[in-house]
Structures are given as C-alpha cells and as structure tokens.
Amino acid sequence: MQIDEKLVQYLERLGRIELSADERAACEQDLQKILDYIDTLEQLDTEGVEPASHSFPVANVVREDEVTNTARQGEMLQNAPDSRDGSFAVPKTVE
C-alpha cells in the first residue's frame, strides 16, 4: 500500500485534526515507514510459534479474602464517635 497526500487528508478528516503542509508531508513519510516495517515483519517465519498475549507468563496473584479481625470489632468501635448495630454511624450524605 502506498501512502499519499489524499490518504493523509482523509485521516485528518477522520481524526478531526488539521495539519500544516510540512506536518502532512512528515506524516506521509512516517506512515509509509510503518507500513514498510510491517511488510518486513510479514516475511518472518512464524511456523510453530504459538500466539501470545503477553511477553511473559501471567498468573493470578490475588489471595483469598479472609476475615481476620472479627474478634476486635468492639475495640475498633470504641474509637468511633458514634456506632449502631456493630457498625460505624456516619451522617447521611444522600437524600
């Protein structure tokens, strides 16, 4: 595929941007370099290579939730300015 000024102008309209003539020329060259590089990558032999979503293995490192401070509920509520039914009482913020 060849990048030309007409395509760059079309991309300007899609992106709702306005480029100067110099910026348009630079963009045209940069986009062509990107496409040339992609063509180079397409020539690589990927036979037997499994697709990957990450460059390193991803594992879930989240631990299970465990309640550990239930015996201290009374101690914690002693510091509260107001408490009701084993919970902190706070002013109503939503009508």
Side-chain angles (χ1 to χ4, degrees), residues 6-90:
K6 184 178 175 182
L7 178 61
V8 174
Q9 289 172 347
Y10 174 70
L11 294 174
E12 279 183 77
R13 281 193 307 273
L14 284 179
R16 296 183 179 166
I17 60 173
E18 190 173 324
L19 300 175
S20 67
D22 292 339
E23 291 171 326
R24 195 174 295 123
C27 182
E28 193 175 323
Q29 290 175 359
D30 290 343
L31 289 173
Q32 190 61 54
K33 286 179 186 177
I34 291 169
L35 288 182
D36 292 343
Y37 185 70
I38 290 172
D39 287 339
T40 302
L41 290 177
E42 286 181 351
Q43 296 172 9
L44 291 175
D45 180 22
T46 57
E47 187 68 33
V49 178
E50 291 186 35
S53 61
H54 297 283
S55 59
F56 54 90
V58 177
N60 188 359
V61 294
V62 179
R63 64 173 171 79
E64 291 294 322
D65 268 345
E66 296 177 15
V67 178
T68 58
N69 59 355
T70 55
R72 297 181 42 210
Q73 181 180 13
E75 288 177 39
M76 288 187 283
L77 289 175
Q78 286 177 353
N79 294 325
D82 190 16
S83 64
R84 272 183 241 129
D85 301 323
S87 298
F88 291 96
V90 295

